[in-house]
Structures are given as structure tokens and as C-alpha cells.
Amino acid sequence: MVRSHSFELNTAGHDDTIDITPDVKRAVARGGVNDGVVCVFVPGSTAAITTIEAEAGAIADLAECMRRLAPSSIKYKHNERWGDGNGHSHVRAAIMGPGLSIPLSGGEMLLGTWQQIVLIDFDNRPRKRTVHVQIVGE
Ligand code: ZN
């Protein structure tokens, strides 16, 4: 069976990183699926979803890494074409990816103890985001 849920959250943009593990767990608990896969996805080309140990140090390190990979201070063709100034946001989001799949076993996602699901908003302004959680299994 397939169960679909979604939830919304407000971000501050500028690499704002939000632990969405509790929200995803709530969706899984409501889904009534015990074994299968949980797909978590954020629509939009300037946000990403990954896993990390969601503590302030690791979160800051990851944001720093993305700033080194795609600095906001360099020239982007996207900015020249559109003038919205978020060329770096698109590149960072594309590198990281908009979602992930997590195995579900016995009603629990097979996440590590220190592995949380985070949404990172790379856009250059506050955004309202919708996260989709689709659970496929039995
Ligand atoms: Zn743009």
C-alpha cells in the first residue's frame, strides 16, 4: 500500500537547517505501514533534504562546506539571467538533492541513533516549504 502525508514549515532561508525527524516519524506512525520504504521529498530547487547528526556543530560544518563549494560571492549565470541573486542556492540544493529514501522495518525507520533527517533551505530569503512523506510497503 501507499500512504501519503505532507507537512509545512517556515524557514529563515540562508542555509537554515531544520530537524524534521519528528515530523517524518509522526507521518510514519499514522501511515499504518510496517515494512517498506519512506520517501521524503521537498519540492523546490533551492532546498534540500539529507541526514546528519543534528547538533549545532555538525550543522554549522555542513553549511560551511556548502558555502565553500558554492560561494554566494562568485558570479552565477542564473543571477545574470534572472536577477534573483540565488544562483548559489540552486547549485547547493542540486548538489545535496531534494529528498531521500529510508528503509522501514517493523514500523521503524532504520536510522542510526545519531542520524536525523534535516531540511536545509539554501534560498536567499525566508520560505514556506512543504515536505512530502510517501510510505510504500505493507
Ligand atoms: Zn533563482
Side-chain angles (χ1 to χ4, degrees):
M1 77 178 121
V2 180
R3 291 280 181 266
S4 300
H5 301 273
S6 60
F7 57 90
E8 291 185 333
L9 64 168
N10 294 304
T11 80
H14 304 283
D15 310 331
D16 191 12
T17 302
I18 298 170
D19 182 356
I20 58 170
T21 313
D23 306 276
V24 177
K25 280 186 173 168
R26 257 194 301 280
V28 169
R30 277 207 308 264
V33 178
N34 282 315
D35 297 284
V37 63
V38 179
C39 302
V40 188
F41 183 83
V42 59
S45 59
T46 53
I49 290 177
T50 189
T51 67
I52 193 168
E53 179 175 348
E55 61 85 21
I59 285 170
D61 291 337
L62 182 60
E64 269 307 309
C65 174
M66 298 312 286
R67 286 176 202 141
R68 284 193 296 271
L69 285 174
S72 58
S73 55
I74 64 174
K75 205 166 138 184
Y76 289 90
K77 291 186 173 60
H78 175 76
N79 294 343
E80 289 170 9
R81 287 175 56 84
W82 295 93
D84 58 358
N86 66 355
H88 63 285
S89 316
H90 291 289
V91 172
R92 290 176 194 174
I95 289 171
M96 193 165 282
L100 45 80
S101 302
I102 302 152
L104 180 67
S105 179
E108 298 285 334
M109 290 186 286
L110 298 182
L111 291 167
T113 306
W114 308 111
Q115 182 180 28
Q116 283 78 45
I117 307 163
V118 292
L119 178 141
I120 307 177
D121 202 321
F122 292 113
D123 216 338
N124 58 356
R125 61 190 172 91
R127 298 289 303 261
K128 182 175 208 162
R129 299 291 186 180
T130 301
V131 176
H132 297 285
V133 181
Q134 199 154 56
I135 308 156
V136 182
E138 54 184 24

